[in-house]
Amino acid sequence: MNDQIPVKNVSPVKVHKPKKVDESKRYNSRSRIYVRAVKGPLESFRRFFGFFFIALFAAVPWIQYDGHQAVLLNIVDQRFTIFSLTLWPQDLTLLAYIFIVSAFALFFVTTFAGRVWCGFMCPQTTWTYIYTWFEEKCEGNRNKRIKLDERPMDVDKFLRKTAKHSAWIAVALLTSLTFVGYFTPVGSLFINFFTFDVGFWAGFSVIFFTVCTYANAGWMREIMCTHICPYARFQSAMFDKDTFTVSYDPNRGEQRGPRSRKLDHGELADKGLGDCIDCNLCVQVCPTGIDIRNGLQYECINCGACVDACNGVMEKMNYPKGLISFTSEHELAGGTTRILRPKLIGYFVVLLVMTGLLLADIVTRVPLEVDIIRDRNSLYRENNNGDIENVYTLKVLNKSQSTHTYTIKVEGFPEYEYIGEQVVTVAGGELYSLPISVATDPQNLSERVTEIYFHVSTTEADGSIVEVSEPSKFLYR
């Protein structure tokens, strides 16, 4: 108890007051990123990939199949037509399977090769590239665009800016019309829109998505990737040390610094230099404006533009390529990449299982839906013949795209009287409501509630029989 607590003299901490903020600059917009054009095998592949999916996106709504639009997602009528397949709200499991398969495909690809979806297939990236291409054609290369923006407004600058924004709006409008064409007949949409005869919701949708495309690809660009898109935030959960990502090799590149092209590659170590000449081309070509030499960053979309730019510089300097490359953390540390690993195999197995369930659901799907609704005004009634009668509404949904004739039967009684149509014809994709009554002798009813079945069947063109049995209740007393 007599031990004293040692006391240490501590010099007082000096508190630094924050500097006053210039209120006029508080809401300044971001520093604009001027992306430099780059050429190389990865860029060529990315362009081909982007153009392929753009062409597919633009062509699909115009494809005709069996006299109708091949792909039409009609939200108003709650009917999705995909070639010979027609989906209804009752087919929600198919939509769930499609989303699950897409999610695990994304997880699998990301675990293996990083954010290649963002760099090579994402619509935001592709449309941003298109907008950047128009920007270069109207305003010039990166340096010219910087000087043009620093210059006061004149006739030349006004004309260049007008041409650029006109091209952007035209691309946004065509994109929006094509997109809305997936949800309404595309042929009449184009005609009605340009003749000002389009409906309110279709017209509103076209204008809304035009503004969104123009704002996203023209103005927001990398903000969508770095601040809005959630995928950039949870990507790290799928990465491991064997994931292929765009990476800079610091062991080979450092120390950075400029040097003469005449300097032999073998003499770099003597001068304390690495392979990186600090040209900053990898930063200038990056669509999100990051420096890949600072390590893996969530803003990186794995587009490979910096890889092509750096390889071009290495080729001019007669250095080996691959200072920046698609590689793994294990390879950067001098090890080898394990392609087959538990997480990747797990994603692949789940992807195969869910794809199999999706295909099985499509193959075993019955193109007929039957729903039975009992009359709620009366439980039962006794007709003039002394029989007990129940009233129903039978709804027959033809989920195919061709007209079918259906035969209706009732099972559950040894004898019964069917009052109503027993043979109905329903057009493809139509819902037919049929009021019917079923009557039977009270002696056939041993219980207050008897389970009966409405059996609906039809014969396909190939001779196969499609049939559905739907249970219902027959009430008495």
Side-chain angles (χ1 to χ4, degrees):
M1 296 298 293
N2 294 328
D3 294 342
Q4 294 182 349
I5 299 175
V7 178
K8 184 178 181 180
N9 293 326
V10 179
S11 57
V13 178
K14 185 179 180 180
V15 178
H16 297 273
K17 294 182 179 181
K19 296 180 180 180
K20 291 185 177 181
V21 178
D22 186 354
E23 296 296 333
S24 63
K25 298 181 179 180
R26 179 181 291 273
Y27 300 108
N28 274 3
S29 60
R30 64 187 173 94
S31 298
R32 183 177 177 186
I33 297 176
Y34 295 87
V35 182
R36 181 172 184 153
V38 63
K39 293 182 179 180
L42 283 174
E43 181 66 15
S44 298
F45 179 72
R46 186 162 72 97
R47 292 184 185 184
F48 168 78
F49 225 61
F51 285 142
F52 171 78
F53 281 102
I54 286 175
L56 189 65
F57 165 77
V60 165
W62 297 96
I63 299 175
Q64 296 292 310
Y65 177 84
D66 198 19
H68 61 81
Q69 188 171 320
V71 177
L72 182 59
L73 313 178
N74 194 330
I75 297 178
V76 176
D77 294 337
Q78 299 182 356
R79 178 173 60 190
F80 291 0
T81 302
I82 305 174
F83 289 88
S84 61
L85 182 66
T86 301
L87 301 179
W88 298 83
Q90 295 88 338
D91 300 310
L92 185 61
T93 53
L94 279 176
L95 186 62
Y97 280 137
I98 291 173
F99 281 132
I100 294 173
V101 168
S102 301
F104 276 97
L106 190 63
F107 298 162
F108 173 77
V109 172
T110 303
T111 302
F112 177 73
R115 292 180 64 188
V116 290
W117 158 262
C118 297
F120 290 84
M121 296 180 63
C122 177
Q124 172 72 15
T125 304
T126 304
W127 262 262
T128 298
Y129 168 76
I130 295 174
Y131 273 47
T132 304
W133 184 85
F134 277 107
E135 195 171 52
E136 290 177 354
K137 295 303 178 183
C138 296
E139 299 181 358
N141 59 29
R142 180 178 183 271
N143 293 332
K144 290 182 178 179
R145 298 200 304 274
I146 294 175
K147 292 179 180 179
L148 182 69
D149 285 347
E150 293 175 347
R151 184 171 106 195
M153 183 63 69
D154 54 24
V155 176
D156 177 66
K157 182 176 180 178
F158 176 78
L159 293 177
R160 290 180 180 274
K161 293 289 185 181
T162 302
K164 179 186 74 172
H165 288 284
S166 298
W168 284 2
I169 293 173
V171 171
L173 180 60
L174 289 176
T175 300
S176 180
L177 283 168
T178 303
F179 179 72
V180 177
Y182 279 84
F183 302 91
T184 188
V186 66
S188 59
L189 174 66
F190 270 76
I191 296 173
N192 293 338
F193 183 82
F194 288 108
T195 57
F196 304 100
D197 194 28
V198 69
F200 171 77
W201 285 112
F204 172 80
S205 300
V206 170
I207 295 174
F208 175 78
F209 287 111
T210 298
V211 173
C212 288
T213 305
Y214 173 77
N216 290 344
W219 294 97
M220 301 180 70
R221 296 190 178 179
E222 77 282 352
I223 291 179
M224 287 292 299
C225 304
T226 58
H227 297 293
I228 299 177
C229 178
Y231 185 41
R233 301 297 179 179
F234 68 78
Q235 63 164 341
S236 59
M238 290 168 274
F239 281 17
D240 55 36
K241 294 185 177 181
D242 294 297
T243 299
F244 288 100
T245 58
V246 174
S247 303
Y248 165 75
D249 188 354
N251 297 323
R252 176 185 159 188
E254 303 297 326
Q255 291 288 332
R256 313 172 196 171
R259 78 288 308 272
S260 171
R261 191 180 299 182
K262 297 179 181 179
L263 183 65
D264 186 75
H265 184 255
E267 301 173 1
L268 294 180
D270 298 335
K271 295 186 175 295
L273 292 174
D275 285 359
C276 179
I277 68 173
D278 204 20
C279 62
N280 278 329
L281 282 181
C282 57
V283 180
Q284 296 176 16
V285 301
C286 179
T288 58
I290 65 170
D291 189 341
I292 195 62
R293 295 172 295 181
N294 294 333
L296 179 63
Q297 299 149 71
Y298 76 89
E299 297 95 340
C300 178
I301 61 173
N302 262 30
C303 65
C306 56
V307 176
D308 283 334
C310 186
N311 284 341
V313 173
M314 294 295 103
E315 187 175 7
K316 292 178 181 178
M317 298 296 295
N318 292 320
Y319 296 170
K321 296 181 181 180
L323 178 60
I324 301 176
S325 63
F326 277 90
T327 187
S328 67
E329 190 176 340
H330 274 155
E331 283 193 35
L332 284 178
T336 57
T337 302
R338 294 182 305 158
I339 301 297
L340 298 178
R341 50 196 189 273
K343 183 164 68 171
L344 191 65
I345 295 174
Y347 283 141
F348 183 70
V349 169
V350 175
L351 178 61
L352 285 181
V353 171
M354 299 310 300
T355 303
L357 291 175
L358 171 62
L359 295 177
D361 202 353
I362 294 176
V363 171
T364 60
R365 176 176 175 269
V366 178
L368 172 62
E369 187 88 16
V370 177
D371 192 17
I372 309 296
I373 302 175
R374 290 193 77 265
D375 185 8
R376 297 175 181 175
N377 293 326
S378 62
L379 296 179
Y380 68 93
R381 66 189 180 196
E382 185 176 347
N383 61 21
N384 296 331
N385 298 327
D387 294 338
I388 304 302
E389 183 178 340
N390 281 203
V391 179
Y392 305 87
T393 299
L394 183 66
K395 293 183 178 293
V396 180
L397 174 61
N398 182 0
K399 297 167 69 174
S400 70
Q401 295 178 359
S402 55
T403 302
H404 284 286
T405 300
Y406 298 97
T407 302
I408 305 168
K409 296 180 181 179
V410 178
E411 298 176 352
F413 296 129
E415 295 179 0
Y416 68 90
E417 181 184 3
Y418 182 96
I419 305 170
E421 298 180 73
Q422 281 193 279
V423 178
V424 295
T425 301
V426 185
E430 296 296 331
L431 177 66
Y432 191 91
S433 294
L434 176 66
I436 59 174
S437 298
V438 178
T440 187
D441 193 298
Q443 296 181 0
N444 297 327
L445 302 172
S446 58
E447 299 178 357
R448 297 182 60 183
V449 179
T450 303
E451 190 172 67
I452 61 174
Y453 292 87
F454 288 86
H455 187 77
V456 182
S457 62
T458 186
T459 303
E460 297 279 359
D462 58 359
S464 61
I465 298 176
V466 176
E467 55 186 359
V468 171
S469 290
E470 188 70 16
S472 186
K473 305 295 182 182
F474 190 94
L475 304 181
Y476 176 51
R477 293 179 186 166

